């Protein structure tokens, strides 16, 4: 058996299979989308993109993803701080609950938000009588994005806070710095890389989110139709070229973010 | 000050995680236990859960096998140049950056009935898109980085000395793998398996696009939840969603447990 497996032909066949699997599964589909959206030339791409429903969905997605990311950076930094610095009952439980939005299917997350805030629910009723509209409007999309990207910033900031040497802080205090100043000049700078890289991950995830958003957004073109839902609609209505055009805008953006994160991490490692 | 921050943290967790979960559970049982059972024992619900199970099993098997092999190659292979390895390494993460819907769209464009490749497969009688194989491919695409990224750091950390020693002593590649490499990567593999199961259980966007969501044929548990919501059958959706959430919570517990094992090893 072993001598058979050690035969040169086997080895090469095996290696080629693995690498082919890799390339076919990952690279080919991505190239396919780019190829498809330019298959009718550049003008076809411009035409698909200049459809107001298409570009408005991209702008809306960007806007809502930025809001969700900012909320998450604030909340995530606070929670990471509390979970690392303070001892209190239930800490271990909260720490494991952080990952729940990753583990839950996104459609389940969307359904949970819909049930909690939707028409007929307690909170939805109160908001409605106050004149707010949550579900099927933009706030619901932001909530869905915040829910789905919740763990990113926390998990990026936590290890940095853990590594932070307490003596740095103590030195600052000894030299007479006030606690807001210590926070601003010692703690914040050491958390910043995590806030940025976690925020970027959260942003790219929020751009891509579909499952949670499609259930809570009203999907009204121009107002609550985000790009991923737009793409799904185009596929369903048999217009793959339009879907591919918006897809490559989102893809290019996400690849850019991924590349930036990698770059930042490499620089961080060298420093 | 300290009390304030802790209270705020509890509040965020309650609003964002506990309240929605509780509300969904209450909703699933709003028709009593009988209502919950009825939602689950619909033929389409049983079929959808079975489809999800099948996808999870097939995807996890394939992803584990190929993930281990690829991680070994990307860390150890001498027959790949450094530059090529670096390039392949950066490709591994691409699925993270791709929206699941776009992942599904890619497969429809590449293998759909209108494409060249899809036409060839159709002629030999193999349907890929809007059928089981397409759903597996879509989920494989989405889960691809999980296994590789879990194993690679462990392989880098343990180094190749022990493996080299084993082959100097005359062990074949296969023996070296099982006796030397496997014992040190097995907890990383276990963790990768749990991540893959969780992700393929919950995959929605890519599967929705590729499967066409045909009831009793290609419908999975998550796409059934979507359809139930679209049909305003929220209670039934809550029942299935609760089952999925219970599985995810179980997987989360497993994750915590294996993370601790992984650190000890």
């Amino acid at each position: 058996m072993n001598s058979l497996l050690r035969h040169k032909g086997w080895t090469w066949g095996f290696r080629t299979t693995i690498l082919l699997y890799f390339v076919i599964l990952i690279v080919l589909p991505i190239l396919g989308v780019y190829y498809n959206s330019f298959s009718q030339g550049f003008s076809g791409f411009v035409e698909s993109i200049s459809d107001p429903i298409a570009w408005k969905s991209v702008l809306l997605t960007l806007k809502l993803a930025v809001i969700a990311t900012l909320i998450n950076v604030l909340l995530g930094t606070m929670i990471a701080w509390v979970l690392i610095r303070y001892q209190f009952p239930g800490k271990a439980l909260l720490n494991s609950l952080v990952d729940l939005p990753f583990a839950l299917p996104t459609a389940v997350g969307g359904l949970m938000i819909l049930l909690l805030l939707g028409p007929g629910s307690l909170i939805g009723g109160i908001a409605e009588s106050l004149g707010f509209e949550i579900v099927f409007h933009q706030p619901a999309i932001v909530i869905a994005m915040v829910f789905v990207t919740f763990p990113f910033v926390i998990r990026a900031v936590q290890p940095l806070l853990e590594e932070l040497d307490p003596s740095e802080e103590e030195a600052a205090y000894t030299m007479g710095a006030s606690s807001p100043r210590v926070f601003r000049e010692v703690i914040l700078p050491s958390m910043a890389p995590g806030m940025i890289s976690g925020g970027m991950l959260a942003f790219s995830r929020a751009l891509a989110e579909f499952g949670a958003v499609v259930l809570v957004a009203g999907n009204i073109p121009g107002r609550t139709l985000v790009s991923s839902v737009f793409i799904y609609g185009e596929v369903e209505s048999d217009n793959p070229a339009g879907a591919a055009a918006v897809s490559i805008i989102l893809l290019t953006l996400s690849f850019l973010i991924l590349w930036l994160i990698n770059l930042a991490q490499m620089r961080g490692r060298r420093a | 000050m300290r009390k304030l921050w802790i209270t705020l943290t509890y509040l965020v967790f309650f609003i964002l995680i506990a309240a929605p979960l509780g509300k969904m559970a209450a909703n699933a049982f709003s028709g009593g236990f009988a209502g919950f059972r009825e939602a689950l024992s619909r033929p389409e619900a049983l079929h959808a859960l079975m489809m999800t199970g099948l996808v999870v099993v097939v995807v996890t098997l394939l992803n584990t096998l190929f993930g281990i092999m690829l991680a070994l190659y990307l860390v150890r292979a001498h027959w790949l140049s450094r530059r090529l390895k670096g390039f392949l390494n950066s490709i591994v993460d691409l699925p993270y950056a791709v929206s699941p819907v776009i992942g599904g769209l890619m497969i429809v464009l590449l293998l759909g009935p209108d494409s060249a490749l899809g036409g060839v497969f159709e002629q030999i009688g193999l349907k890929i898109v809007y059928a089981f194989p397409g759903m597996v491919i879509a989920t494989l695409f989405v889960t691809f980085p999980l296994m590789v990224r879990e194993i690679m750091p462990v392989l880098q950390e343990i180094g190749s000395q022990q493996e080299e020693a084993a082959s100097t002593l005359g062990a074949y590649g296969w023996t070296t793998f099982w006796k030397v490499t496997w014992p040190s990567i097995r907890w990383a593999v276990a963790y990768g398996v749990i991540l893959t199961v969780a992700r393929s259980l919950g995959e929605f966007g890519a599967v929705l696009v590729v499967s066409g969501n045909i009831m009793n044929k290609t419908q999975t548990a998550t796409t059934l939840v979507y359809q139930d919501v679209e049909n305003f059958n929220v209670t039934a959706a809550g029942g299935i969603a609760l089952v999925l959430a219970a599985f995810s919570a179980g997987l989360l517990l497993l994750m915590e447990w294996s993370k601790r094992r992984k650190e000890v090893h």
Side-chain angles (χ1 to χ4, degrees):
Chain A
M1 184 72 181
N2 258 323
S3 57
L4 199 74
L5 278 174
R6 281 172 71 79
H7 191 270
K8 258 239 149 77
W10 269 99
T11 319
W12 281 110
F14 205 58
R15 288 171 179 176
T16 323
T17 314
I18 303 279
L19 288 184
L20 265 184
Y21 168 86
F22 178 43
V23 171
I24 289 177
L25 187 69
I26 307 297
V27 181
L28 209 59
I30 295 177
L31 290 180
V33 172
Y34 279 88
Y35 172 76
N36 208 281
S37 63
F38 289 113
S39 57
Q40 282 136 20
F42 192 70
S43 61
F45 170 71
V46 172
E47 199 179 309
S48 303
I49 275 304
S50 53
D51 175 6
I53 300 178
W55 63 258
K56 274 186 183 162
S57 80
V58 174
L59 283 186
L60 179 75
T61 313
L62 283 174
K63 182 183 97 180
L64 297 179
V66 167
I67 298 174
T69 307
L70 288 179
I71 295 177
N72 248 331
V73 168
L74 285 178
L75 287 181
T77 312
M78 179 192 86
I79 291 171
W81 170 263
V82 170
L83 287 179
I84 292 289
R85 283 304 172 98
Y86 300 141
Q87 296 299 326
F88 57 94
K91 181 174 145 168
L93 177 73
L94 290 192
N95 200 13
S96 359
L97 270 183
V98 170
D99 286 325
L100 195 68
F102 278 165
L104 275 184
T106 53
V108 175
L111 180 68
M112 290 189 335
I113 293 165
L114 182 66
L115 289 174
L116 188 72
L117 304 175
S121 71
L122 185 68
I123 302 173
I126 295 171
E128 206 160 307
S129 64
L130 290 174
F132 281 120
E133 283 160 323
I134 302 179
V135 164
F136 307 131
H137 290 81
Q138 295 182 4
I141 304 177
V142 174
I143 296 173
M145 285 175 171
V146 170
F147 177 83
V148 170
T149 57
F150 183 64
F152 282 112
V153 178
I154 303 179
R155 290 298 184 230
V157 172
Q158 268 181 334
L160 295 177
L161 270 179
E162 239 164 21
E163 274 171 28
L164 178 64
D165 192 353
S167 61
E168 281 181 41
E169 258 173 89
E170 282 155 17
Y173 280 121
T174 331
M175 288 191 277
S178 61
S179 47
R181 187 160 173 215
V182 172
F183 183 79
R184 217 174 45 237
E185 291 186 9
V186 178
I187 299 170
L188 203 59
S190 59
M191 290 197 294
M195 290 163 73
I196 293 169
S197 70
M200 281 205 279
L201 280 175
F203 180 68
S204 80
R205 180 71 206 270
L207 280 186
E209 184 46 37
F210 173 70
V213 170
V214 74
L215 286 177
V216 297
N219 306 331
I220 304 159
R223 290 185 41 211
T224 55
L225 184 76
V226 297
S227 319
S228 56
V229 181
F230 172 80
I231 294 168
Y232 175 61
E234 292 295 283
V235 176
E236 289 291 281
S237 51
D238 223 9
N239 179 16
V246 174
S247 296
I248 65 165
I249 294 185
L250 278 191
L251 273 181
T252 312
L253 214 62
S254 305
F255 289 151
L256 210 68
I257 296 171
L258 195 73
W259 180 70
L260 278 176
I261 295 172
N262 274 338
L263 208 70
Q265 273 171 352
M266 265 197 289
R267 283 187 59 178
R269 219 174 289 150
R270 228 173 277 156
Chain B
M1 208 47 189
R2 193 193 132 180
K3 278 235 167 72
L4 172 77
W5 291 126
I6 294 175
T7 321
L8 267 178
T9 302
Y10 262 107
L11 204 68
V12 171
F13 272 96
F14 179 76
I15 294 174
L16 212 57
I17 292 177
L21 259 182
K23 176 76 187 178
M24 191 181 70
N27 197 78
F29 287 106
S30 63
F33 190 72
F36 175 66
R37 220 174 55 188
E38 201 178 313
L40 281 185
S41 56
R42 292 176 296 163
E44 63 263 32
L46 290 176
H47 190 271
L49 287 171
M50 191 192 77
M51 272 319 264
T52 299
L54 269 179
V55 170
V56 168
V57 169
V58 175
V59 166
T60 309
L61 279 177
L62 285 176
N63 196 37
T64 308
L65 212 71
F66 283 100
I68 295 175
M69 291 308 301
L70 196 74
L72 274 172
Y73 285 170
L74 287 182
V75 178
R76 296 274 191 268
H78 302 294
W79 44 276
L80 287 171
S81 69
R82 272 183 72 105
R83 196 169 277 270
L84 188 62
K85 260 195 277 192
F87 174 70
L88 291 176
N89 190 19
S90 59
I91 292 179
V92 171
D93 282 328
L94 289 188
Y96 281 147
V98 175
S99 168
V101 188
I102 301 177
L105 170 71
M106 290 170 174
I107 288 156
V108 171
L109 287 179
L110 204 66
L111 298 169
D114 301 331
S115 67
L117 270 176
V120 172
F121 280 116
E122 199 111 310
Q123 285 211 319
I124 55 171
L126 187 65
K127 224 167 160 265
I128 294 186
V129 170
Y130 309 124
F132 187 68
M135 293 155 71
V136 169
I137 297 174
T139 317
L140 275 177
F141 176 82
V142 173
T143 54
F144 185 77
L146 297 171
M147 183 62 79
V148 181
R149 282 291 173 249
E150 279 306 316
I151 303 174
M152 277 183 66
V154 180
L155 282 178
Q156 270 154 358
E157 202 180 311
I158 60 173
S160 54
Q161 283 186 355
Q162 292 183 354
E163 284 161 32
E164 278 158 14
S167 41
T168 324
L169 293 174
Y172 289 120
W174 195 240
T175 322
T176 314
F177 176 77
W178 280 113
K179 293 260 157 104
V180 180
T181 318
W182 174 250
S184 40
I185 62 168
R186 61 186 166 185
W187 288 107
V189 173
Y191 195 68
V193 166
I194 299 169
L195 287 179
T196 309
V197 170
R199 190 66 214 268
S200 46
L201 187 75
E203 184 42 44
F204 173 62
V207 168
L208 182 65
V209 172
V210 169
S211 72
N213 205 6
I214 309 162
M215 194 186 273
N216 285 332
K217 277 182 90 175
T218 60
Q219 195 164 49
T220 64
T222 46
T223 56
L224 176 62
V225 169
Y226 173 66
Q227 199 188 347
D228 277 338
V229 173
E230 294 285 285
N231 297 340
F232 300 104
N233 192 356
V234 183
T235 315
I240 298 161
L242 192 66
V243 173
L244 284 174
F247 265 108
S248 318
L251 286 169
L252 195 68
L253 286 178
L254 265 179
M255 254 184 246
E256 291 283 313
W257 173 77
S258 68
K259 216 190 281 177
R260 235 168 289 140
R261 288 301 302 252
K262 204 173 66 173
E263 275 156 17
V264 174
H265 74 108

